[in-house]
Amino acid sequence: MTSTILALVDGSIYSKSVCDHAAWAAAKMDAKVELLHVFDRLAGAQNSDLSGSIALGARTALLEKLATLDEQRLKLLQQKGRAILDDARAIIEAAGQTVSGVHLRQDDLTDAVAAQENSAAMIMIGKRGEAADFASLRLGAHVEELVRASHKPVFVASRAFKPIDRAVIAYDGAASSQRVVDHVARNPLFSGLTIEVITVGSRNRETEKGLENAKAVLAGAGLEVETKILAGQPDAVLGQRVEEAGSCLVAMGAYGHSRIRSFVIGSTTSEMLRSCKAPVLLMR
């Protein structure tokens, strides 16, 4: 059965990158792409509160006008959504990949993804959405919410696509790190990439043994593997290494209590995703 990638697109500048990354991943995984655009489920009902001292006749007339405006606004949002999906389909098909489904939903984003993700091997979303605050470089409001809610790996696309030839795994030896290693070993997305497994911390036999085990799993899958133990603050050290690595993909567990994983979700996580210029694959 052919796997699918569920790509979330909106009107932001990140949507082009999401489509480019989805096309790249689909080619690597021999997968098809499903497109999803979600707009606010409250759209079209924002002007219903008319509390105040308005005379009954005037209030009725005003309600009718506002209802008409809400209906028009809803139609415009639907037209905009269909245009975004058409553009996204064109980008992916121009890259030679297949779009197997297009979905336009008025809903909460996480609910909409939950309804579509069962058949997907991976969820793809841009780092920032249409309403992003580029002045503060804050993450899109839905990214962390989606990572916490989804049962599938979440690929957070960077602002622009660059051909990827290396993957960096943030590894601390815990269970979620092991799951990332197993996922990388099994997923054809990583075939042909040089895999760099990095532990940030003190060098000792336990750390070395953990990296040896991870390397054995990845090498057993036919991947070219390098391991590194680096000292310093995890977010700063990994961020610097990703910058040095150039066109790479970062893979890491999304939850945990270690210093490496705690910076992926939570305040330090947001900082890493905010500042990292590479795409990041997060796994629960």
Side-chain angles (χ1 to χ4, degrees), residues 88-129:
R89 175 194 283 273
I91 293 170
I92 291 168
E93 291 182 343
Q97 301 306 313
T98 301
V99 176
S100 59
V102 174
H103 311 280
L104 174 64
R105 293 194 57 171
Q106 182 181 15
D107 204 343
D108 176 81
L109 181 70
T110 53
D111 290 343
V113 171
Q116 298 293 149
E117 73 169 12
N118 283 343
S119 60
M122 185 167 66
I123 312 297
M124 190 167 289
I125 188 172
K127 185 189 296 186
R128 297 184 180 87

Side-chain angles (χ1 to χ4, degrees), residues 8 40 44 78 84 96 140 209 211 228 251:
L8 280 58
D40 190 350
Q78 291 171 335
I84 289 170
K209 180 66 174 174
L211 287 178
K228 290 183 172 67

